[in-house]
């Protein structure tokens, strides 16, 4: 039987049960939850980095976005607030579309 020991999406236990399998899980406390969310963020980022097609990349970006939603909520905020801050930074400092790679400043 595979052992996962990782944070999974909310419906995964239900989906496993509906396939006729059984699983064990626990509800994390806040400290375990934030630690697991951060780990999951690295896991999903790594999966994005290693994606080989645009379709795979987009699916992994969606997973990263879900992690960002959960992290924002954990920190007492919302995705909309994070998006507002992103837009403000975009206006003040720009994005990354011009592909500038800073070498040095004198």
């Amino acid at each position: 039987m595979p052992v996962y020991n990782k944070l999974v999406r909310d419906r995964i236990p239900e989906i496993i049960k509906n396939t006729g399998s059984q699983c064990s899980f626990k509800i994390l406390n806040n400290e375990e939850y934030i630690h697991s969310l951060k780990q999951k963020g690295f896991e999903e980022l790594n999966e994005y980095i290693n994606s080989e097609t645009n379709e795979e990349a987009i699916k992994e970006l969606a997973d990263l976005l879900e992690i960002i939603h959960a992290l924002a909520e954990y920190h007492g905020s919302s995705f909309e607030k994070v998006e507002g801050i992103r837009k403000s930074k975009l206006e003040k400092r720009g994005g990354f579309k011009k592909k500038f790679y800073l070498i040095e400043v004198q």
Side-chain angles (χ1 to χ4, degrees), residues 9 43-66:
R9 289 176 176 264
E43 176 188 327
E44 298 301 344
L45 180 58
N46 191 49
E47 289 176 5
Y48 165 75
I49 289 168
N50 291 305
S51 61
E52 296 182 359
T53 67
N54 287 337
E55 185 178 344
E56 287 176 2
I58 297 302
K59 287 180 180 178
E60 298 309 330
L61 288 173
D63 288 341
L64 280 166
L65 200 52
E66 193 62 40

Side-chain angles (χ1 to χ4, degrees), residues 26-79:
K26 69 176 186 173
I27 305 298
L28 302 175
N29 65 38
N30 282 343
E31 186 177 314
E32 293 169 322
Y33 178 59
I34 189 64
H35 177 76
S36 293
L37 269 176
K38 290 176 181 180
Q39 281 185 305
K40 191 70 170 176
F42 281 116
E43 176 188 327
E44 298 301 344
L45 180 58
N46 191 49
E47 289 176 5
Y48 165 75
I49 289 168
N50 291 305
S51 61
E52 296 182 359
T53 67
N54 287 337
E55 185 178 344
E56 287 176 2
I58 297 302
K59 287 180 180 178
E60 298 309 330
L61 288 173
D63 288 341
L64 280 166
L65 200 52
E66 193 62 40
I67 297 296
I68 291 169
H69 277 265
L71 286 167
E73 186 176 314
Y74 177 84
H75 290 292
S77 191
S78 66
F79 179 77

Side-chain angles (χ1 to χ4, degrees), residues 13-14 60 87 94 104:
E14 172 191 343
E60 298 309 330
K87 286 180 179 179
E104 66 180 325

